[in-house]
Amino acid sequence: LLYALKLDPELLKDEATAAFQLADGLHEENDEETAQQKQKREKERNKARRRVASELLSRNDCPVKLELITGHRFLRYLLSLRNSRTNSRLSHASYQAKRAALFHLFRSFNVRQPDDLQNQLKTAMKGVRRMVAVEKQNGDGRIQVGMEPMTFTLYKFLARKFLEMGGADGIFGHSFLVLSWNLACRSKNTCTIQLNHFRWVEDAFQIFLLTKKMIKQA
């Protein structure tokens, strides 16, 4: 919605445009503002816009003119996205997530994506994938996909530092790190562990992780 508001307003319905204009009216520019005040006002306006977008998407009526969405329009949206830290292209997985979000938008408002649009999106995603691969090969962005693994040397260093820290924070940090490492899981999975997930099996301490792999080979 925020992309459409800024770069493709034709996609928004009149009610949505009016809601954003009302929010912007509460944060109008002032010629006497300092640079710091302008920055603060811009942050507040962006927060207000996000609140409006969230409210619009929670209604029964879709705020977007879904019939105007085409593969070319969606591709233009994808190409406008950049990594906020490196200003490089997003990963192919990130672009796929955006496509999934578009599908969810249609489904949320009980609208079926036309077959023609699905074919256009399929072609557009193939083009994005090739473009990302070429740009990465030419040095724009990381070749590796996903997060870098923690080395055993770094693991030992952090574990020792947590023990040296002492106190409740040090003990918690050490326990959390050791659990995550030995379970070979992400930190967010460690956060979901509860007491009823623990069990002793003879001389071993067993922990159950309730996760779902979309790719069976993984």
Side-chain angles (χ1 to χ4, degrees):
L1 292 184
L2 298 181
Y3 163 81
L5 176 67
K6 185 177 181 180
L7 298 175
D8 202 352
E10 186 185 2
L11 283 174
L12 293 179
K13 292 183 178 178
D14 294 340
E15 297 82 359
T17 302
F20 281 118
Q21 289 176 345
L22 180 61
D24 289 347
L26 300 176
H27 303 88
E28 292 182 348
E29 296 184 12
N30 186 342
D31 295 336
E32 299 180 358
E33 285 180 327
T34 64
Q36 186 176 6
Q37 288 173 330
K38 287 183 178 180
Q39 187 178 18
K40 182 180 179 181
R41 177 181 49 76
E42 190 64 25
K43 282 185 176 180
E44 291 176 348
R45 183 166 65 177
N46 289 335
K47 286 175 64 176
R49 285 179 172 180
R50 285 193 290 270
R51 284 196 299 268
V52 170
S54 178
E55 181 186 343
L56 289 171
L57 289 172
S58 65
R59 296 178 181 177
N60 294 327
D61 186 36
C62 183
V64 178
K65 299 175 184 176
L66 298 178
E67 68 278 4
L68 296 184
I69 296 179
T70 63
H72 180 266
R73 243 180 174 139
F74 187 66
L75 178 61
R76 191 168 57 190
Y77 160 67
L78 293 182
L79 297 181
S80 72
L81 302 175
R82 286 279 178 169
N83 186 301
S84 59
R85 291 186 296 106
T86 63
N87 198 37
S88 61
R89 298 279 185 202
L90 304 183
S91 66
H92 178 64
S94 297
Y95 288 124
Q96 286 286 9
K98 301 300 181 185
R99 181 186 179 183
L102 178 64
F103 177 80
H104 179 69
L105 177 65
F106 276 79
R107 184 176 58 184
S108 297
F109 294 97
N110 298 316
V111 179
R112 182 182 179 276
Q113 278 190 354
D115 294 336
D116 185 49
L117 175 58
Q118 293 185 33
N119 292 331
Q120 291 177 21
L121 293 175
K122 188 180 299 183
T123 302
M125 295 307 297
K126 287 181 179 178
V128 169
R129 185 171 189 172
R130 285 194 298 269
M131 181 189 63
V132 170
V134 170
E135 291 188 355
K136 283 186 176 181
Q137 190 64 40
N138 293 335
D140 184 10
R142 294 171 62 244
I143 295 294
Q144 300 88 348
V145 177
M147 292 181 286
E148 294 285 347
M150 180 185 292
T151 63
F152 186 60
T153 301
L154 178 58
Y155 164 71
K156 291 193 298 182
F157 172 81
L158 292 175
R160 183 172 64 252
K161 286 298 181 181
F162 277 129
L163 287 177
E164 292 173 355
M165 182 189 302
D169 290 341
I171 294 173
F172 176 82
H174 180 80
S175 302
F176 191 91
L177 176 66
V178 172
L179 263 180
S180 300
W181 179 270
N182 285 281
L183 292 173
C185 69
R186 296 182 183 272
S187 57
K188 66 178 183 180
N189 292 331
T190 307
C191 290
T192 64
I193 296 175
Q194 302 179 23
L195 290 177
N196 58 354
H197 296 160
F198 298 155
R199 189 172 73 176
W200 282 104
V201 180
E202 296 184 358
D203 64 340
F205 188 51
Q206 191 176 64
I207 300 177
F208 293 91
L209 281 177
L210 305 177
T211 60
K212 179 181 179 181
K213 287 286 187 180
M214 299 304 293
I215 302 175
K216 293 183 179 179
Q217 291 84 345

